[in-house]
């Protein structure tokens, strides 16, 4: 069982930046892809970004391309989300996720989830 612990988030003004972190742990931890999702009340969970450790391939939602950057350390099973030029519409609960299936491809099989952290962008 992979456990994901998030940190970061909070309140920021529009145009500002925040950084989220997520560390995976467990008795036997092997993650092949890690990602970030977000959700607002009354809406479905939305994909934000993902990084596939093999080859360091990154994926982004169109709504965050050019503003958000996903990165991480495979050896530490840690992933980061640097969020720049934040907009009020980025306000949501952000959750990290891990895919522990070898050979998994887009849209991946995220089976482990972090506890979620609130990001609020004021206008």
């Amino acid at each position: 069982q992979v456990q994901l612990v998030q940190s970061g988030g909070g309140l920021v003004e529009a145009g500002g930046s925040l950084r989220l972190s997520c560390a995976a742990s467990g008795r036997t931890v092997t993650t092949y892809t890690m990602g970030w999702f977000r959700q607002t009340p009354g809406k479905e969970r939305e994909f934000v970004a993902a990084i596939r450790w093999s080859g360091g391939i990154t994926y982004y939602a169109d709504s965050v391309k050019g503003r958000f950057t996903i990165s991480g350390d495979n050896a530490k099973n840690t992933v980061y989300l640097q969020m720049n030029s934040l907009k009020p519409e980025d306000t949501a609960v952000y959750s990290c996720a891990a895919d522990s299936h070898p050979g998994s491809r887009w849209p991946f099989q995220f089976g482990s989830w972090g506890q979620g952290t609130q990001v609020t962008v004021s206008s």
Side-chain angles (χ1 to χ4, degrees):
Q1 182 74 21
V2 178
Q3 297 176 331
L4 304 179
V5 178
Q6 299 177 217
S7 60
L11 174 64
V12 66
E13 292 185 350
S17 299
L18 284 174
R19 189 191 196 210
L20 305 180
S21 301
C22 174
S25 64
R27 187 170 61 181
T28 304
V29 178
T30 302
T31 61
Y32 295 90
T33 302
M34 294 186 74
W36 292 94
F37 290 75
R38 65 187 182 187
Q39 189 169 21
T40 55
K43 293 187 177 181
E44 292 187 357
R45 185 166 55 199
E46 175 190 22
F47 168 78
V48 176
I51 182 166
R52 185 164 162 242
W53 297 131
S54 177
I57 302 172
T58 57
Y59 304 77
Y60 294 96
D62 288 342
S63 58
V64 306
K65 279 181 182 177
R67 300 188 298 121
F68 290 13
T69 302
I70 188 169
S71 63
D73 185 333
N74 187 9
K76 296 181 180 180
N77 283 303
T78 300
V79 66
Y80 308 99
L81 185 67
Q82 178 65 43
M83 303 182 291
N84 299 329
S85 302
L86 282 161
K87 305 174 181 179
E89 51 264 43
D90 294 318
T91 296
V93 174
Y94 285 71
S95 298
C96 64
D99 178 354
S100 300
H101 298 85
S104 184
R105 296 290 185 271
W106 176 261
F108 305 113
Q109 302 175 60
F110 294 107
S112 301
W113 296 88
Q115 78 273 22
T117 187
Q118 179 69 45
V119 170
T120 302
V121 184
S122 63
S123 57

